[in-house]
Amino acid sequence: MNFTFISLFPEIIRSALNESITKRAIENSLISFETINPRNYLEAKERIDDKVYGGGPGMLLKSEPLMKALDDAISRFERSKSKIIYLSPKGKPFNQETAEALASEKNIIFICGRYEGIDQRIIDHYVDVEISIGDYVVSGGEIPALVVFDAISRNIDGVLGDEASLEQESFSRGLLEYPQYTRPEKMKLGEVPKELLSGNHAVIEKWRKKQMLGITSLRRKDLLEKTELSSEEKALLKEFIDEHEG
Ligand code: SAM
């Protein structure tokens, strides 16, 4: 799968992708990426920002160089095989479901906004989906694009060494993950729950499921409401609540 980042600050992208899981995925040809800088399409002495019609504070990313960058990005793949995403606080809130769905695309083109954003006509003409990483404003689209890229790439076959780790993660079944512990078994901060030391797979699974249900209920009732619980899960949740209220 290929990712193209249209950005005025390609170093932010390159430095982030050159580490850890992503670096290995690129070396193993599971993913590829390129950056395209709209500044490369400017005439001599031309500025990359432009005034907003109607006045008001701030500038927009200039349209002509951005369109040329987009046309170049699109020309490398068939348009129908490319998904163009504009990162924007006005976009659809990003979540695990969208990350998983986007992992089956062939080519994703991210437009990383700067200043006050980009001309609406570019959004209307080119963009397939606007995505927001949350209800706050950051200074540019690079970090949001990296967040979206990272969440997608974890769902591409082979990118994570151990596929099982995906199934256990938060949101994988609409629930938050259970607490985890590593050595030592006992320390000043406390002891590892006895169920995890039991060596009994069924006991461990039951404890983990109970924690997932309980923690999701305490922290994210909205997620729990969307998840259909079996009668066994309802009983586990009740046990968790009773233990925590008791
Ligand atoms: N004027 C814009 C608004 O109020 O919606 C905010 C512009 S912001 C300073 C500059 C760029 O950062 C945006 O064009 C967008 O690409 C990116 N950005 C900022 N916050 C974001 C968010 N929550 N999700 C996705 N992208 C965001």
Side-chain angles (χ1 to χ4, degrees), residues 200-218:
N200 182 327
H201 188 67
V203 169
I204 295 170
E205 283 310 300
K206 188 174 162 198
W207 182 87
R208 286 180 168 167
K209 177 62 75 61
K210 183 159 83 174
Q211 301 302 314
M212 287 170 81
L213 291 161
I215 290 166
T216 310
S217 151
L218 290 177

Side-chain angles (χ1 to χ4, degrees), residues 138-201:
V138 297
S139 308
E142 286 76 11
I143 291 172
L146 286 168
V147 167
V148 174
F149 157 80
D150 191 304
I152 295 171
S153 60
R154 294 172 67 77
N155 290 285
I156 298 172
D157 280 351
V159 167
L160 293 185
D162 179 4
E163 304 295 335
S165 59
L166 263 184
E167 285 157 32
Q168 306 275 322
E169 273 181 337
S170 292
F171 308 109
S172 61
R173 247 214 65 205
L175 298 174
L176 303 179
E177 196 179 52
Y178 46 79
Q180 300 187 87
Y181 302 84
T182 184
R183 285 185 292 184
E185 192 180 311
K186 285 184 189 163
M187 62 173 164
K188 268 198 268 177
L189 306 180
E191 294 182 19
V192 174
K194 62 180 184 321
E195 290 85 348
L196 299 179
L197 303 170
S198 67
N200 182 327
H201 188 67

Side-chain angles (χ1 to χ4, degrees), residues 20-246:
S20 179
I21 293 174
T22 322
K23 184 179 182 189
R24 203 176 56 225
I26 293 167
E27 284 167 359
N28 293 337
S29 306
L30 296 168
I31 57 178
S32 56
F33 84 97
E34 65 176 331
T35 57
I36 300 184
N37 190 339
R39 286 184 208 275
N40 296 340
Y41 303 85
L42 288 175
E43 304 292 331
K45 296 199 180 150
E46 201 185 2
R47 289 177 61 105
I48 191 66
D49 55 352
D50 217 335
K51 286 189 223 146
V52 183
Y53 278 114
M59 307 286 274
L60 290 187
L61 213 155
K62 195 172 199 138
S63 295
E64 282 293 331
L66 178 56
M67 285 192 289
K68 287 179 181 161
L70 271 162
D71 290 338
D72 259 0
I74 292 165
S75 70
R76 296 169 205 191
F77 282 81
E78 277 173 52
R79 176 67 184 92
S80 61
K81 290 192 177 147
S82 299
K83 191 98 176 167
I84 303 184
I85 297 175
Y86 173 48
L87 286 311
S88 162
K90 290 188 284 187
K92 179 179 170 220
F94 189 55
N95 60 21
Q96 183 67 20
E97 198 185 337
T98 309
E100 287 170 19
L102 288 171
S104 56
E105 295 292 335
K106 295 256 173 308
N107 181 39
I108 290 188
I109 299 171
F110 292 115
I111 305 175
C112 306
R114 279 276 157 178
Y115 315 112
E116 291 311 316
I118 65 175
D119 189 302
Q120 183 62 40
R121 290 164 296 179
I122 297 186
I123 300 174
D124 295 342
H125 181 79
Y126 286 96
V127 172
D128 295 311
V129 55
E130 289 181 70
I131 289 183
S132 164
I133 59 158
D135 292 343
Y136 44 81
V137 176
V138 297
S139 308
E142 286 76 11
I143 291 172
L146 286 168
V147 167
V148 174
F149 157 80
D150 191 304
I152 295 171
S153 60
R154 294 172 67 77
N155 290 285
I156 298 172
D157 280 351
V159 167
L160 293 185
D162 179 4
E163 304 295 335
S165 59
L166 263 184
E167 285 157 32
Q168 306 275 322
E169 273 181 337
S170 292
F171 308 109
S172 61
R173 247 214 65 205
L175 298 174
L176 303 179
E177 196 179 52
Y178 46 79
Q180 300 187 87
Y181 302 84
T182 184
R183 285 185 292 184
E185 192 180 311
K186 285 184 189 163
M187 62 173 164
K188 268 198 268 177
L189 306 180
E191 294 182 19
V192 174
K194 62 180 184 321
E195 290 85 348
L196 299 179
L197 303 170
S198 67
N200 182 327
H201 188 67
V203 169
I204 295 170
E205 283 310 300
K206 188 174 162 198
W207 182 87
R208 286 180 168 167
K209 177 62 75 61
K210 183 159 83 174
Q211 301 302 314
M212 287 170 81
L213 291 161
I215 290 166
T216 310
S217 151
L218 290 177
R219 298 185 184 174
R220 293 290 305 273
K221 277 230 155 43
D222 59 311
L223 288 178
L224 202 59
E225 277 159 16
K226 285 189 242 160
T227 309
E228 190 137 349
L229 301 185
S230 65
S231 47
E232 190 204 341
E233 287 172 332
K234 284 180 191 157
L236 282 176
L237 177 58
K238 184 172 178 319
E239 253 180 54
F240 181 98
I241 292 169
D242 291 346
E243 283 166 18
H244 283 75
E245 282 175 352

